Amino acid sequence: MKNRLIPKTGDELSPLGFGSMRLPQKNGKIDYEKAREQIYYAIDNGVNIIDTAYIYGNSEKFLGEVLTGEYKDKVKIMTKLPSFQIKKREDMDRILDEQLKRLNRESIDYYLVHSVDLKTTNKLLKKGLIEFLNDAKRTGKIKHVGFSYHGAKEEFEILIDGYDWDVVMVQYNYFDENVQASRDGIEYAASKGIGIFVMEPLKGGILAGKMPEEAEEIFKKANPNKSNAEWALEWVLNNRNVTTVFSGMNTMEQIEENLKVANNTEPLSMSFEDMESIELVKRVINRLLKINCSTCGYCMPCPQGVNIPECMKIYNEKYLFSQKGLISPSLFDYYQYVGGVMNKPRNAGRCNGCGKCLRKCPQNLDIPKELKKVEKAFEGHFFGLKVGFITKIGLPLFTMFNKIMDR
């Protein structure tokens, strides 16, 4: 891969970074052997920066254990200070020291303030954020600083100008081109020499998997050999201001596909015809998508046990793929995965409107309101039966129905 330079730090980073929020799992824990194999393979093929965070389960500890010897020197580490867990200045020092221990490093290459907007940043400033960052840099505990942004685009430049940041991480994909930081905000930050890191390039997988039929036809007509994920990653990497795209890869196939795109895409390399195809697909998705959820999971856990991202994902799929009628694949998915057939009930109807998820959502969604839509669409409409009754019927009935649907 042709690395990209961050003017403020002098580092040349790979255009593809490894996001470790969605490492492969086994029995509810990181699949150690599989995840290690994937990370080594990515590094061996040119990836030289890995992203993690304090709240990503055991991700930091896992990386500290596997990135040893030659692999420790081949890759830079980026992790984050959990802004929503900070009550006082001492919390910042304690968490950073804990992260250094987990990661088995004396210094963190890139340290970001996690998931902030202007309001959150102002609260952290009152608790000594600037002094903490300056002290951590002075003592060598962190080398370069930045923040991951989840606010309004009108506030982005205010935060950029508020401190001597080295990098910034933003949500950016062809569907969300003008939300949060937006294309203009990215250009502004880059004009100051700040490195631009991109998260959610595939919008939580929506832009990578199966697409609405109309969108599939547009892409296949333009290039039948290119996958939906390739289109999305290529679009982001085509932006000359983007330094690194972080992808939450958890299969070898995903890694190989993303490496291929990163190897073949240079800034401003996409044709006008390909850009037009993406714009047409964007219009299709924009017309069909009901909830602008990226399934990042920041809203979790829900006190009532609702699987918020999965509920919204299934609801979106119902409309993205024009599933009509009483019995549809999305209805089966809903009862199997959140309705209690395959596991404990985690359906939308369990929401009591407590609102604890609201302050965590990077998209600023009114989650309780959206869950009401999900509940109305799926619950109480399966032949008039309620979720609890469907749960008691269990897997045998759903197996029978699936066989009928497959005929």
Side-chain angles (χ1 to χ4, degrees), residues 207-239:
L207 306 181
K210 182 183 176 184
M211 291 283 229
E213 186 176 346
E214 187 180 346
E216 293 278 6
E217 289 176 358
I218 292 169
F219 276 155
K220 293 304 179 186
K221 183 179 179 180
N223 188 334
N225 299 315
K226 191 185 295 186
S227 71
N228 296 333
E230 288 180 82
W231 280 103
L233 282 173
E234 185 178 350
W235 184 89
V236 176
L237 289 169
N238 186 66
N239 188 321

Side-chain angles (χ1 to χ4, degrees), residues 106-108 135-143:
E106 296 180 356
S107 182
I108 294 170
D135 287 348
K137 288 182 72 175
R138 178 179 51 79
T139 57
K141 291 183 177 181
I142 58 179
K143 296 177 182 176

Side-chain angles (χ1 to χ4, degrees), residues 158-357:
I158 298 174
L159 284 186
I160 288 293
D161 291 338
Y163 183 71
D164 187 22
W165 306 106
D166 298 305
V167 295
V168 64
M169 177 173 261
V170 298
Q171 178 175 318
Y172 188 60
N173 54 66
Y174 67 73
F175 185 80
D176 296 321
E177 181 179 6
N178 294 308
V179 301
Q180 296 189 12
S182 78
R183 176 183 285 272
D184 290 341
I186 288 174
E187 186 171 346
Y188 180 76
S191 72
K192 292 176 167 286
I194 294 174
I196 309 296
F197 294 153
V198 169
M199 58 183 160
E200 299 294 351
L202 306 179
K203 195 173 175 62
I206 288 177
L207 306 181
K210 182 183 176 184
M211 291 283 229
E213 186 176 346
E214 187 180 346
E216 293 278 6
E217 289 176 358
I218 292 169
F219 276 155
K220 293 304 179 186
K221 183 179 179 180
N223 188 334
N225 299 315
K226 191 185 295 186
S227 71
N228 296 333
E230 288 180 82
W231 280 103
L233 282 173
E234 185 178 350
W235 184 89
V236 176
L237 289 169
N238 186 66
N239 188 321
R240 61 184 176 183
N241 295 315
V242 169
T243 307
T244 300
V245 174
F246 286 92
S247 178
M249 304 171 282
N250 54 28
T251 69
M252 199 62 77
E253 291 75 20
Q254 291 174 355
I255 296 170
E256 291 173 347
E257 182 177 51
N258 292 354
L259 284 167
K260 182 178 75 170
V261 178
N263 275 308
N264 295 335
T265 307
E266 294 190 15
L268 305 177
S269 62
M270 286 189 75
S271 68
F272 287 115
E273 290 81 4
D274 283 351
M275 296 291 284
E276 181 184 19
S277 296
I278 284 182
E279 182 59 32
L280 292 173
V281 167
K282 177 180 175 180
R283 293 176 188 177
V284 172
I285 299 174
N286 192 46
R287 189 175 73 244
L288 298 174
L289 193 69
K290 297 298 182 180
I291 303 176
N292 190 26
C293 172
S294 67
T295 67
C296 66
Y298 286 165
C299 55
M300 300 290 282
C302 166
Q304 303 305 315
V306 180
N307 188 334
I308 299 170
E310 189 67 18
C311 286
M312 294 189 178
K313 173 178 173 287
I314 295 171
Y315 182 77
N316 274 333
E317 288 173 350
K318 173 180 172 64
Y319 294 97
L320 281 173
F321 308 124
S322 301
Q323 297 175 6
K324 299 177 181 179
L326 179 63
I327 302 177
S328 66
S330 61
L331 185 67
F332 285 117
D333 287 346
Y334 188 79
Y335 279 93
Q336 287 188 71
Y337 299 126
V338 300
V341 172
M342 301 292 288
N343 42 44
K344 285 200 249 180
R346 307 191 70 189
N347 54 295
R350 299 175 67 86
C351 174
N352 67 355
C354 72
K356 289 187 177 180
C357 53

